[in-house]
Amino acid sequence: GESVGLHLPTLSVQEGDNSIINCAYSNSASDYFIWYKQESGKGPQFIIDIRSNMDKRQGQRVTVLLNKTVKHLSLQIAATQPGDSAVYFCAENRGTYKYIFGTGTRLKVLA
Amino acid sequence: DAGVIQSPRHEVTEMGQEVTLRCKPISGHNSLFWYRQTMMRGLELLIYFNNNVPIDDSGMPEDRFSAKMPNASFSTLKIQPSEPRDSAVYFCASSLSQGGTGELFFGEGSRLTVL
């Protein structure tokens, strides 16, 4: 079936290193993607988005890459900080109100 | 700048009791969503309102669940009677977009525990 999934449920990185969180999606009709960050006890918080007519978008310390050929999305966090520890979700949208969320990857930042 | 406001933040109740969760979307947003989050299933869309009108309630688990949006600034999700399997975190989200082309703003969630 159609789904948005993540390769790694937990990612541990050293403070200061770069983090890469991956996401696979299965529907080539998806044209809008969002990365969310969810800290413990809080709601998902928007990080960055990208549309299917782009393959890269940069924000503050974050970069999202979209590879439509292999239906792959990644979130790169530069110089990972303790405050980046959270669960990260990718979400895909197919031009409607329905967002399909991935199960999430937990990022642990090691001091 | 208030975001999406949900109440209560935590609710513990006994099986069979009625539960009402409340949401105040961001002012000016025309779309409102109720999601349920569990470890097993992640985030699931329960119901979507646009301009206060329920557009899609296909995600509502069963007749025990109901949602209303009497005006643009308030929505409720009610479970009656509640069951232990309803235990989850319930999120309300709002957006300006009608067609899913924009950001969803989530509330902090209501953690429900049904004993």
Side-chain angles (χ1 to χ4, degrees), chain B:
Chain B
D1 181 13
V4 176
I5 300 173
Q6 291 186 246
S7 65
R9 290 296 314 278
H10 301 276
E11 176 89 5
V12 180
T13 191
E14 293 186 345
M15 182 174 62
Q17 296 298 305
E18 177 179 294
V19 174
T20 299
L21 308 178
R22 298 172 177 79
C23 175
K24 177 178 169 54
I26 293 173
S27 177
H29 283 190
N30 62 349
S31 294
L32 184 140
F33 305 77
W34 281 100
Y35 284 90
R36 178 171 65 178
Q37 185 179 46
T38 61
M39 288 295 293
M40 293 298 294
R41 302 173 69 91
L43 275 166
E44 301 174 282
L45 177 63
L46 298 177
I47 188 167
Y48 161 62
F49 291 89
N50 182 256
N51 292 324
N52 311 339
V53 176
I55 303 300
D56 182 356
D57 65 355
S58 61
M60 297 286 264
E62 49 199 86
D63 292 345
R64 296 185 298 107
F65 285 68
S66 63
K68 295 182 180 180
M69 192 166 185
N71 57 61
S73 60
F74 185 66
S75 177
T76 59
L77 177 67
K78 184 177 292 186
I79 308 172
Q80 167 63 20
S82 58
E83 297 182 1
R85 58 184 168 141
D86 302 330
S87 297
V89 182
Y90 291 82
F91 286 103
C92 177
S94 70
S95 77
L96 263 176
S97 167
Q98 180 173 354
T101 58
E103 178 184 348
L104 287 179
F105 293 81
F106 285 84
E108 297 289 83
S110 293
R111 180 175 295 276
L112 173 64
T113 302
V114 183
L115 303 174

Side-chain angles (χ1 to χ4, degrees), chain A:
Chain A
E2 298 173 340
S3 65
V4 175
L6 298 172
H7 298 305
L8 298 173
T10 304
L11 177 66
S12 297
V13 297
Q14 289 292 138
E15 181 179 354
D17 287 351
N18 297 335
S19 302
I20 300 176
I21 301 172
N22 297 303
C23 177
Y25 65 96
S26 59
N27 193 319
S28 57
S30 295
D31 59 5
Y32 180 58
F33 304 86
I34 304 176
W35 278 102
Y36 280 93
K37 172 185 180 183
Q38 186 175 20
E39 297 176 271
S40 180
K42 296 188 176 182
Q45 179 184 7
F46 175 94
I47 301 174
I48 192 168
D49 60 0
I50 189 168
R51 298 194 181 278
S52 58
N53 60 352
M54 305 172 67
D55 54 20
K56 180 179 180 179
R57 190 164 190 224
Q58 289 184 293
Q60 187 175 14
R61 283 201 306 117
V62 295
T63 301
V64 56
L65 299 178
L66 176 62
N67 186 331
K68 294 182 287 294
T69 301
V70 295
K71 300 189 188 70
H72 185 267
L73 193 69
S74 69
L75 176 71
Q76 299 179 1
I77 304 173
T80 311
Q81 303 170 358
D84 295 327
S85 293
V87 175
Y88 291 80
F89 298 93
C90 63
E92 66 174 308
N93 186 278
R94 303 163 194 179
T96 72
Y97 55 87
K98 289 190 177 182
Y99 288 81
I100 307 298
F101 290 88
T103 53
T105 292
R106 182 174 301 280
L107 176 65
K108 293 184 178 181
V109 182
L110 307 174

